[in-house]
């Protein structure tokens, strides 16, 4: 009851601030993805020296720490990685980085319209441009009473469970090294890097949203809560809001991307999964086998 009264009070106070016809806001998010599973699997690879492993880990860490900008109005938003100038020589990973980002489900501009419950995102995968159009995924959020402060805003906790996408390699987990049995010592063992991982069936989402900003929006494909989502975690990736600006003076052009071959989310996922299987058969994979890792470490 206390939570309900607080929410109603904040909604009434905030309503006038968002009543402007041309209202628009902007939020900055910092995204970090754990590479612990990748590092564990790589640790058992004898072809990678300690120096090479350290180099790869540092580059992977830098690659998985990103900044995104969310521009939103009352019904739609665009979510896009902040553009940064490339450093001389790049990150040393070249095509490996682009390939990895493709397998992480990354895209260019993520447009979602919560009023029409649909989204559009442009993606580049293996040199081809796709335009994924589909209905927004509806999560069955469970609203919790737990609160915390994020950037001066009172946030409430919400959790949900959803199926893990087989097209996103972040949903794979390191199985650990199997114990070697005496009778198997002389048997030929698999050396495929991807055999060390298994796909989890579902993932638990934990979000923190603030009714102080009564916008049904959030980073990426997250939405559906009675307030802007300021932090969300899927157990592997944490996305945290570092800055919010309401009623921005310079309005962003919130419109859906239009370049690329139009496909549904399932069609796109099938394309990615098929490529994963092909690469596995060839002894490669996202993050790669021995040969891929060595190229990334050069």
């Amino acid at each position: 009851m206390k939570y309900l009264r607080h929410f109603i009070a904040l909604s009434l106070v905030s309503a006038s601030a968002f009543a402007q016809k041309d209202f628009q806001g902007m939020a900055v998010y910092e995204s970090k993805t754990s590479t612990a599973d990748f590092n564990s699997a790589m640790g058992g690879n004898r072809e990678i020296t300690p120096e090479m492993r350290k180099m790869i880990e540092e580059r992977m860490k830098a690659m998985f720490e990103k900044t995104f900008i969310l521009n939103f109005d009352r019904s739609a938003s665009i979510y896009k990685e902040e553009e940064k100038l490339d450093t001389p020589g790049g990150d040393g990973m070249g095509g490996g980085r682009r390939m990895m980002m493709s397998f992480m489900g990354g895209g260019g501009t993520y447009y979602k319209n919560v009023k029409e419950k649909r989204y559009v995102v442009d993606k580049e995968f293996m040199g081809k441009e796709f335009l994924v159009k589909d209905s927004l995924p509806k999560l069955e959020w469970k609203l919790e009473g737990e609160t915390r402060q994020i950037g001066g805003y009172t946030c409430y906790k919400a959790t949900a469970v959803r199926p893990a996408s087989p097209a996103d390699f972040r949903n794979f987990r390191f199985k650990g090294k199997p114990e070697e049995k005496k009778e198997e010592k002389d048997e030929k063992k698999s050396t495929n890097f991807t055999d060390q991982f298994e796909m989890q069936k579902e993932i638990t989402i934990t979000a923190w949203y603030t009714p102080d900003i009564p916008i049904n929006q959030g980073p990426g494909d997250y939405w559906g809560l009675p307030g802007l989502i300021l932090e969300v975690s899927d157990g592997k990736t944490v996305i945290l809001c570092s800055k919010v600006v309401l009623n921005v003076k310079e309005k962003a052009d919130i419109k859906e991307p239009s370049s690329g071959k139009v496909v549904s989310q399932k069609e796109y996922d099938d394309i990615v999964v098929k490529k994963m299987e092909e690469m596995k058969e060839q002894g490669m994979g996202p993050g790669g086998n021995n040969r891929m890792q060595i190229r990334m470490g050069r």
Side-chain angles (χ1 to χ4, degrees):
M1 182 61 69
K2 180 180 178 181
Y3 161 70
L4 181 59
R5 288 198 301 268
H6 179 70
F7 172 69
I8 292 175
L10 284 174
S11 297
L12 292 174
V13 172
S14 302
S16 59
F18 297 89
Q20 298 182 29
K21 185 177 180 180
D22 61 344
F23 165 78
Q24 193 175 117
M26 182 273 289
V28 179
Y29 291 88
E30 308 296 335
S31 174
K32 293 185 179 182
T33 298
S34 170
T35 60
D37 286 327
F38 180 90
N39 294 340
S40 296
M42 185 172 57
N45 192 323
R46 296 180 179 178
E47 295 187 26
I48 300 181
T49 65
E51 294 77 14
M52 186 182 296
R53 177 182 177 181
K54 182 179 180 181
M55 183 186 299
I56 295 175
E57 289 179 354
E58 290 177 349
R59 289 176 177 174
M60 292 285 288
K61 181 176 181 292
M63 184 172 67
F64 292 155
E65 293 183 356
K66 293 174 167 294
T67 300
F68 292 87
I69 306 296
L70 177 72
N71 289 285
F72 56 88
D73 55 29
R74 288 190 295 270
S75 61
S77 68
I78 51 174
Y79 182 70
K80 189 174 183 179
E81 183 179 356
E82 182 181 49
E83 295 183 2
K84 298 179 180 179
L85 294 176
D86 292 332
T87 57
D91 58 10
M93 297 178 70
R97 181 182 190 279
R98 291 191 295 273
M99 182 183 296
M100 184 69 74
M101 296 293 45
S102 296
F103 283 116
M104 285 181 64
T109 300
Y110 196 113
Y111 169 89
K112 62 177 179 286
N113 190 310
V114 296
K115 184 177 181 180
E116 299 175 358
K117 295 180 174 56
R118 66 183 182 88
Y119 69 93
V120 180
V121 56
D122 53 355
K123 293 175 176 287
E124 181 182 345
F125 181 65
M126 306 301 288
K128 297 182 179 180
E129 294 184 358
F130 294 91
L131 192 65
V132 182
K133 294 187 176 185
D134 219 317
S135 300
L136 278 171
K138 182 175 175 57
L139 295 178
E140 297 298 328
W141 290 108
K142 178 182 178 183
L143 304 184
E144 313 281 358
E146 188 177 345
T147 66
R148 58 177 287 202
Q149 292 289 315
I150 298 179
Y153 291 96
T154 298
C155 296
Y156 290 83
K157 182 179 180 180
T159 57
V161 177
R162 70 179 183 186
S165 170
D168 189 339
F169 97 98
R170 289 173 300 177
N171 294 326
F172 287 84
R173 294 292 182 266
F174 179 53
K175 293 187 294 187
K177 299 178 182 179
E179 293 185 4
E180 184 179 14
K181 298 180 181 179
K182 292 182 179 180
E183 59 271 21
E184 295 179 345
K185 284 186 177 180
D186 297 328
E187 293 182 8
K188 184 178 180 179
K189 299 177 182 178
S190 172
T191 58
N192 195 315
F193 183 81
T194 56
D195 289 339
Q196 300 178 58
F197 293 84
E198 61 184 354
M199 180 71 182
Q200 57 183 346
K201 295 182 179 180
E202 59 184 23
I203 55 178
T204 298
I205 308 299
T206 300
W208 294 89
Y209 66 96
T210 177
D212 295 6
I213 307 176
I215 297 295
N216 189 6
Q217 287 284 356
D221 62 352
Y222 295 108
W223 70 292
L225 286 169
L228 179 65
I229 298 173
L230 295 188
E231 181 177 331
V232 63
S233 171
D234 61 6
K236 198 70 175 290
T237 298
V238 177
I239 305 174
L240 175 63
C241 182
S242 59
K243 179 181 179 181
V244 177
V245 179
L246 302 178
N247 291 315
V248 294
K249 294 181 180 180
E250 295 184 8
K251 308 296 183 182
D253 192 8
I254 301 178
K255 66 178 182 179
E256 58 188 82
S258 58
S259 299
K261 178 182 178 181
V262 178
V263 294
S264 67
Q265 187 64 61
K266 184 180 184 308
E267 290 173 331
Y268 179 79
D269 289 347
D270 288 344
I271 293 172
V272 175
V273 171
K274 182 179 179 181
K275 177 56 65 174
M276 281 184 173
E277 291 299 324
E278 291 177 356
M279 296 179 70
K280 181 177 180 179
E281 292 176 0
Q282 297 170 7
M284 298 174 64
N289 68 340
N290 303 347
R291 288 170 291 171
M292 180 64 132
Q293 292 170 355
I294 291 173
R295 287 201 299 271
M296 290 169 59
R298 286 178 179 174

